[in-house]
Amino acid sequence: MRNLIICLFCSLVISGCGFSLRGNYELPASVSQLTVGSSEAHSALERALRNELKPYSVEVIDSSVKGTSNTTSIYLLSDVLDRRLLSLFSTGQVAEYELIYTVRYELQFANSDAQLLEFEIKREYQDDPDAVLAKSRELELVLSEMRKQAAIRIIHQISIAQRTIVNTAVITP
């Protein structure tokens, strides 16, 4: 009984301080509709973002449809994959790359100015010239995972930016 009370007390203290599990991002209630668009038609990052938004109770609207005045908008400007050489085999062939996935997007909340945001996701990638087909498939999987992580990061940024706007509006008279 004592252990149960201690566990209950600890969980109340942890949840009371605002702790939440990693990856558990709650979008504010004010983000009920979200307009998603991209400079590139049928963008893979846009599809990944739409997939990651499915668990949230947010109505995702295509950018071609005009949203209401309380609509939050995300416009994906660019997503670029760059490679940086890390090491070489003794034969001079590339042994290892650093993959750098750069995402630029515009985030605009209802009745506020658009924010231009950018971030990078980096991964190390080992190349094997003897297994070209397998490594090309592996590269596709790594890029897909990087897009998924970028979509999660955009959702997290929406949550943080909206809280910042709300807190700033409460503080300023």
Side-chain angles (χ1 to χ4, degrees):
M1 184 67 174
R2 183 175 181 222
N3 289 340
L4 179 65
I5 292 173
I6 291 172
C7 287
L8 183 62
F9 176 74
C10 289
S11 64
L12 286 173
V13 168
I14 288 173
S15 64
C17 73
F19 175 80
S20 63
L21 294 174
R22 183 176 179 179
N24 185 17
Y25 309 119
E26 292 183 24
L27 291 177
S30 61
V31 183
S32 60
Q33 289 184 331
L34 189 64
T35 303
V36 177
S38 175
S39 60
E40 181 183 318
H42 308 294
S43 165
L45 179 57
E46 182 180 354
R47 284 193 308 270
L49 180 60
R50 288 176 184 268
N51 284 337
E52 291 301 316
L53 283 167
K54 283 181 182 177
Y56 301 95
S57 57
V58 175
E59 181 185 357
V60 179
I61 303 169
D62 190 31
S63 63
S64 62
V65 178
K66 190 70 175 169
T68 62
S69 63
N70 62 349
T71 303
T72 301
S73 300
I74 299 174
Y75 190 75
L76 304 170
L77 299 170
S78 67
D79 59 323
V80 180
L81 180 67
D82 289 324
R83 296 181 188 191
R84 189 175 68 135
L85 180 67
L86 291 180
S87 64
L88 297 171
F89 289 118
S90 60
T91 60
Q93 292 178 315
V94 176
E96 193 174 19
Y97 287 109
E98 179 180 45
L99 300 175
I100 305 167
Y101 186 62
T102 306
V103 177
R104 292 184 64 230
Y105 65 101
E106 196 173 84
L107 176 61
Q108 183 173 11
F109 292 101
N111 304 322
S112 67
D113 295 332
Q115 304 171 32
L116 183 62
L117 301 165
E118 180 177 338
F119 62 86
E120 291 181 346
I121 297 174
K122 297 180 181 181
R123 293 279 188 280
E124 289 183 10
Y125 174 74
Q126 295 180 351
D127 201 8
D128 183 4
D130 296 329
V132 174
L133 189 58
K135 283 299 187 176
S136 67
R137 177 67 181 140
E138 181 182 347
L139 181 61
E140 289 174 22
L141 290 173
V142 169
L143 183 55
S144 174
E145 184 61 33
M146 291 171 84
R147 283 186 185 115
K148 181 178 178 179
Q149 186 178 2
I152 291 169
R153 197 162 175 180
I154 290 170
I155 293 170
H156 181 64
Q157 185 63 39
I158 293 169
S159 177
I160 291 172
Q162 180 62 25
R163 278 191 233 134
T164 304
I165 288 172
V166 169
N167 291 341
T168 305
V170 170
I171 293 171
T172 55

